[in-house]
Amino acid sequence: MNPGWEPEDAGEDGAESMVRPYTITRGRTAPARDDLTLITVLTTVEDPRDEYGAPVRPGRLQPEHRRILERCRRPAAVAEVAADLDLAVSVTKILLADLVGQGLLAARAPITVAWAAGGIDPSLLAAVRDGLRRL
């Protein structure tokens, strides 16, 4: 390593890039859920309710949590959210898991979303699969 070398996004003390993700996640290094993949689709829950039907009152949300909820008003994949927030995917997954756990965000496999919207045509998928096999 060259003396005096610093990453481009480092702050004055050069430690900003290491401290920020740690503080955003409150020291956590893994999400509470392990089913979030890069293509998991997330959407903000319009009227979040608990298992008894009472409105969910979110706990204290960090600015990143609020940005995620705003971004996910339209369905977005985990990778898209991470890119929009300019955060590492691992950090983003921790924040997403927080919101899913609070019932403020819904996470679905992408095929489920397409199926629910009536956008899946099984014959088209089979034709694509067959075409790829012929290659």
Side-chain angles (χ1 to χ4, degrees), residues 1 5-6 11 17 53 64-66 81 84 87 92-93 96 99 110 115-116 122 126 131:
M1 189 160 148
W5 176 86
E6 290 187 30
S17 63
E64 291 80 10
H65 286 122
R66 288 191 295 274
V81 175
D84 288 347
L87 290 173
T92 303
K93 284 182 177 182
L96 293 170
L99 294 170
W115 189 273

Coordinates of all heavy atoms in Angstrom, one line a residue, residues 1 5-6 11 17 53 64-66 81 84 87 92-93 96 99 110 115-116 122 126 131:
M1 N 0.8 -1.2 0.0 CA 0.0 0.0 0.0 C 0.9 1.2 0.0 O 1.8 1.3 0.7 CB -0.9 0.0 1.2 CG -2.0 1.0 1.2 SD -3.2 0.4 2.4 CE -3.8 1.9 3.0
W5 N -1.9 7.0 0.4 CA -3.0 6.6 -0.4 C -4.3 6.5 0.4 O -4.3 6.0 1.5 CB -2.7 5.2 -1.0 CG -3.9 4.7 -1.9 CD1 -4.1 5.0 -3.2 CD2 -4.9 3.9 -1.4 NE1 -5.2 4.3 -3.6 CE2 -5.8 3.6 -2.5 CE3 -5.3 3.3 -0.2 CZ2 -6.9 2.9 -2.5 CZ3 -6.4 2.5 -0.2 CH2 -7.2 2.3 -1.3
E6 N -5.4 7.0 -0.2 CA -6.7 7.0 0.5 C -7.7 6.6 -0.6 O -7.6 7.1 -1.7 CB -7.1 8.3 1.1 CG -6.3 8.6 2.3 CD -6.8 9.9 3.0 OE1 -8.0 10.1 2.9 OE2 -6.0 10.6 3.6
G11 N -13.3 10.2 3.9 CA -13.4 11.5 4.5 C -12.0 12.0 4.9 O -11.0 11.5 4.5
S17 N -15.6 5.6 5.2 CA -16.1 4.5 4.5 C -16.3 3.2 5.4 O -17.1 2.4 5.1 CB -15.3 4.2 3.2 OG -14.0 3.8 3.6
G53 N -54.7 -7.2 13.6 CA -55.4 -6.2 12.8 C -55.2 -4.7 13.2 O -55.7 -3.8 12.6
E64 N -32.0 6.1 6.2 CA -31.9 5.1 5.2 C -33.2 4.2 5.1 O -33.6 3.9 4.0 CB -30.7 4.2 5.4 CG -29.4 4.9 5.2 CD -28.9 5.7 6.4 OE1 -29.6 5.7 7.5 OE2 -28.0 6.5 6.3
H65 N -33.8 3.9 6.3 CA -35.0 3.2 6.3 C -36.1 4.0 5.6 O -36.9 3.4 4.8 CB -35.5 2.9 7.7 CG -34.7 1.8 8.4 ND1 -34.0 2.0 9.6 CD2 -34.5 0.5 8.1 CE1 -33.4 0.9 10.0 NE2 -33.7 0.0 9.1
R66 N -36.2 5.3 5.9 CA -37.2 6.1 5.2 C -37.0 6.2 3.7 O -37.9 6.2 2.9 CB -37.2 7.5 5.9 CG -37.8 7.5 7.3 CD -38.0 8.9 7.8 NE -36.8 9.7 8.0 CZ -36.1 9.7 9.0 NH1 -36.4 8.9 10.1 NH2 -35.0 10.4 9.1
V81 N -32.4 -1.3 -5.0 CA -32.4 -0.5 -3.8 C -31.0 -0.2 -3.3 O -30.7 1.0 -2.9 CB -33.3 -1.2 -2.6 CG1 -33.2 -0.4 -1.3 CG2 -34.7 -1.4 -3.1
D84 N -29.6 2.5 -5.5 CA -30.2 3.8 -5.3 C -29.7 4.4 -4.0 O -29.5 5.6 -3.9 CB -31.7 3.7 -5.3 CG -32.3 3.4 -6.6 OD1 -31.6 3.6 -7.6 OD2 -33.5 3.1 -6.7
L87 N -25.3 2.0 -1.2 CA -24.8 1.2 -0.1 C -24.4 -0.2 -0.5 O -25.0 -0.7 -1.5 CB -25.9 1.1 1.0 CG -26.2 2.3 1.8 CD1 -27.4 2.0 2.7 CD2 -25.0 2.8 2.6
T92 N -27.6 -3.1 2.8 CA -28.9 -2.9 2.4 C -29.8 -4.0 2.9 O -30.9 -3.8 3.3 CB -29.0 -2.7 0.9 OG1 -28.1 -1.7 0.5 CG2 -30.4 -2.5 0.4
K93 N -29.3 -5.3 2.8 CA -30.1 -6.4 3.2 C -30.5 -6.3 4.7 O -31.6 -6.7 5.1 CB -29.4 -7.7 2.9 CG -29.4 -8.1 1.5 CD -28.7 -9.5 1.3 CE -28.8 -10.0 -0.1 NZ -28.1 -11.3 -0.3
L96 N -33.3 -3.8 4.9 CA -34.5 -4.3 4.3 C -35.1 -5.3 5.3 O -36.3 -5.3 5.5 CB -34.2 -5.0 3.0 CG -33.8 -4.0 1.9 CD1 -33.3 -4.8 0.7 CD2 -34.9 -3.1 1.5
L99 N -37.1 -3.6 8.0 CA -38.4 -3.1 7.6 C -39.4 -4.3 7.3 O -40.6 -4.1 7.6 CB -38.3 -2.3 6.3 CG -37.5 -1.0 6.6 CD1 -37.1 -0.3 5.2 CD2 -38.3 0.0 7.5
P110 N -39.4 -12.7 -7.4 CA -39.9 -12.0 -8.6 C -40.9 -12.8 -9.4 O -41.8 -12.2 -10.0 CB -38.6 -11.8 -9.4 CG -37.6 -12.7 -8.8 CD -38.0 -13.0 -7.4
W115 N -46.5 -13.5 -11.5 CA -47.7 -14.4 -11.6 C -48.9 -13.7 -11.0 O -50.0 -13.7 -11.6 CB -47.4 -15.6 -10.7 CG -48.5 -16.7 -10.9 CD1 -49.6 -16.8 -10.2 CD2 -48.5 -17.7 -11.8 NE1 -50.3 -17.9 -10.7 CE2 -49.6 -18.5 -11.7 CE3 -47.5 -18.1 -12.8 CZ2 -49.9 -19.6 -12.4 CZ3 -47.8 -19.3 -13.6 CH2 -49.0 -20.0 -13.4
A116 N -48.8 -12.9 -9.9 CA -49.9 -12.2 -9.3 C -50.4 -11.1 -10.2 O -51.6 -10.8 -10.3 CB -49.5 -11.6 -8.0
P122 N -46.8 -19.2 -19.2 CA -46.0 -20.5 -19.1 C -45.5 -20.9 -20.4 O -44.4 -21.5 -20.6 CB -46.9 -21.5 -18.4 CG -47.9 -20.6 -17.7 CD -48.1 -19.4 -18.5
A126 N -41.6 -21.6 -21.5 CA -41.2 -22.9 -22.1 C -40.5 -22.6 -23.4 O -39.5 -23.3 -23.7 CB -42.4 -23.8 -22.2
G131 N -35.6 -22.6 -26.5 CA -34.6 -21.8 -27.4 C -33.2 -21.8 -26.8 O -32.2 -21.9 -27.6

